[in-house]
Amino acid sequence: MGRTYIVEETVGQYLSSINLQEKPFVSGLLIGQSSSQKDYVILATRTPPKEEQNDNVKQPRAKLDNLDEEWATEHASQVSRMLPGGLVVLGIFIITTLELADDFQNALRRLIFSMEKSMSRKRLWNVTEDEVSERVTLHICSSTKKISCRTYDVQDPKSSARPADWKYQSRVSASWLSLDCTVHVNIHIPLSATSVSYTLEKNTKSGLTRWAKQIENGVYLINGQVKGNDCDLLEGQLLNSDHRSTATVQICSGSVNLRGNVKCRAYIHSNRPKVKDAVQAVKRDILNTVADRCEILFEDLLLNEIPEKKNYELPQRVFVPLPGSTVMLCDYKFGDESAEEIRDHFSEMLDHEIQIEDLEIAEEVNTACMTSSVNSEASLTNTSEEQPEQPKKTIGVKIQQNIGVIAALAVAVLAAGISFHYFSD
């Protein structure tokens, strides 16, 4: 039995509205959330055409084997930055003419694996053993409207296609739980005599990898207590925990420091989510938003040929609502970027029009920054490599619950807020 995809009705309306305009095909991304039982698709967005493709739209004899994997993969990487915790690129869709209906499976398989490889390369976190690793490919024939839905296990290079169910439903994410937190980040990355000669980007990424282990292995306190992973998010048995983090003095020749308060946000489906689901979603949003800001900064330095200096401003996080849903997507902006530029980037990447007044700038300018220095100093660093057990970092989580009951339907609607603080050793 294959997986079941519960799909927001507006996704079906969006796919039906796509006009091939004499092109042989249009492809794009499917965005949503996986769970052990089923997957939820809440958004579809077509991959924007390259400029040269816009200049020559009439390509009636083009083959799907000519699908630009590099361009589509880059789109997936860009969109993945715009997804808060809990949301992922679940797969791809492709709409073709009748003549090409039997000429797509190999191209889709290559593309789905290429996308997953590209996105996983930039992650600071690892996929767990019990996590869903199937990704979906949806093919729609523009002439017959026939739908073919298949999945591939992207953790298995030899995986073959499996059939899957594609079911439309209204208001799929209307009552999802929103998990909000502000994280105080103070990451100190010591540079040895050897690493001090490396690029700022390489040293930063190396330091973030070590920091990510602390976040992954941290102890998460919910309302001041540790809950079992398999407990319901707002119920369950409390566990005792007493972990300690160790540190040693290391002589270094310089350092890179990331400091500031960053806004994090994650979403969880409302079908009896577990504590581990919420903690994982928040963890990954913390890791993603810090790593993405650094990557955007380095791209900006390279693109604008900015000379190296000691202090850098990390971009702010901006949220925008998804119509008909509690979910908000995100983007990043530097202090000198206008709201119009952010709106246009949202529209280009997600193929959905938004209003400037809907933009929620979550942080103040210069909230987060990066500094670098080269000198001789002693630095405190975790020595987890020398410990038989990975040291645990304790992180406090506070959930505030407001439950409203809709009497006519007897449905409880849950809104949860998380207050989060992280302090480095």
Side-chain angles (χ1 to χ4, degrees), residues 6-172:
I6 305 301
V7 187
E8 178 62 59
E9 282 184 345
T10 55
V11 171
Q13 296 167 7
Y14 172 79
L15 295 175
S16 299
S17 70
I18 293 178
N19 190 337
L20 293 182
Q21 297 177 335
E22 299 185 357
K23 296 178 183 179
F25 63 86
V26 169
S27 64
L29 307 175
L30 299 169
I31 296 164
Q33 185 171 110
S34 289
S35 72
S36 58
Q37 301 297 324
K38 60 189 70 172
D39 289 354
Y40 304 91
V41 180
I42 64 171
L43 182 67
T45 175
R46 60 179 159 188
T47 299
K50 281 186 174 181
E51 291 183 3
E52 57 267 28
Q53 292 174 342
N54 279 327
D55 296 336
N56 184 21
V57 298
K58 293 186 178 182
Q59 303 170 6
R61 308 316 303 171
K63 298 293 184 181
L64 286 181
D65 284 341
N66 296 329
L67 178 64
D68 194 333
E69 286 185 25
E70 183 178 357
W71 182 255
T73 298
E74 177 60 25
H75 180 229
S77 297
Q78 292 287 329
V79 168
S80 66
R81 289 177 178 173
M82 307 173 78
L83 305 181
L87 296 186
V88 295
V89 176
L90 287 175
I92 56 178
F93 71 83
I94 191 162
I95 303 173
T96 70
T97 59
L98 182 61
E99 292 79 12
L100 294 173
D102 296 326
D103 188 27
F104 71 96
Q105 201 60 50
N106 288 336
L108 289 189
R109 188 185 189 281
R110 289 196 306 270
L111 180 56
I112 202 76
F113 276 86
S114 176
M115 285 182 176
E116 185 64 25
K117 182 179 180 180
S118 175
M119 291 184 289
S120 62
R121 190 185 299 122
K122 299 178 181 180
R123 293 173 184 154
L124 292 178
W125 45 270
N126 297 317
V127 176
T128 60
E129 291 183 359
D130 58 349
E131 200 165 342
V132 176
S133 58
E134 289 185 68
R135 293 294 179 261
V136 64
T137 61
L138 180 73
H139 172 240
I140 302 174
C141 176
S142 62
S143 300
T144 64
K145 306 302 180 183
K146 181 180 178 181
I147 292 179
S148 173
C149 183
R150 303 184 183 186
T151 62
Y152 294 93
D153 184 348
V154 291
Q155 297 300 316
D156 179 9
K158 298 180 180 179
S159 172
S160 56
R162 298 182 61 193
D165 292 330
W166 185 264
K167 298 180 178 181
Y168 287 110
Q169 183 176 310
S170 62
R171 299 176 60 81
V172 171

Side-chain angles (χ1 to χ4, degrees), residues 172-185:
V172 171
S173 59
S175 60
W176 282 14
L177 282 69
S178 173
L179 308 162
D180 292 273
C181 54
T182 299
V183 183
H184 176 70
V185 177

